[in-house]
Amino acid sequence: MVSFLIGGATIAMFQVELYLEMPLDVARTMAVNTLVIAQGFYLLNSRFLEESSLRPQRLFTNPVAWMALAALVLLQVAFVYLPPMHHWFGTAPLALRHWLAPAGIGVLLFFLIEAEKAILRGQRS
């Protein structure tokens, strides 16, 4: 289910950007950002496969996960803003507002996955 949601969101972002007549390089970059940000949020979900990840004590128990997320953010910023990346991958720098949709999708997926875990917990009870 998670692969379907993340893959579908990535493809949908690309298609929506093209529909909105954004340049192809911007649409590509938005799609990659959607994929990467959604995977980052899924990292937080997947630490507890059955229990809720919404409790603060669970979210912050593994500093390595947060270091991985920090590295992910730094690498993604480099991917989006370093000119060699644009040449190599056919991407474009994004305005700050362009980060909002992928972040929103990541948050939405986080809560959908948490809802699925809650439903499965309820079925087992």
Side-chain angles (χ1 to χ4, degrees):
M1 181 190 90
V2 174
S3 297
F4 176 76
L5 290 173
I6 292 174
T10 301
I11 293 167
M13 177 62 73
F14 182 75
Q15 293 299 323
V16 166
E17 292 298 310
L18 291 179
Y19 177 79
L20 295 174
E21 299 182 358
M22 297 300 282
L24 180 60
D25 56 353
V26 171
R28 277 189 199 122
T29 310
M30 291 289 288
V32 171
N33 273 7
T34 301
L35 175 67
V36 169
I37 291 171
Q39 289 288 340
F41 275 99
Y42 183 57
L43 171 65
L44 298 174
N45 284 118
S46 65
R47 292 194 52 242
F48 300 96
L49 295 178
E50 295 179 0
E51 298 175 28
S52 174
S53 298
L54 292 172
R55 296 189 177 141
Q57 65 270 26
R58 289 190 182 141
L59 270 179
F60 300 105
T61 56
N62 187 344
V64 175
W66 288 99
M67 286 187 275
L69 284 173
L72 177 79
V73 169
L74 289 174
L75 290 169
Q76 192 61 24
V77 167
F79 174 79
V80 172
Y81 295 109
L82 291 179
M85 298 296 187
H86 306 155
H87 176 73
W88 295 334
F89 296 104
T91 58
L94 300 176
L96 183 58
R97 66 181 171 83
H98 288 116
W99 289 84
L100 296 177
I105 289 170
V107 170
L108 177 64
L109 290 174
F110 177 86
F111 285 112
L112 284 173
I113 294 164
E114 287 301 311
E116 178 202 25
K117 290 194 294 188
I119 290 167
L120 293 175
R121 278 193 310 275
Q123 289 175 348
R124 281 187 223 121
S125 298

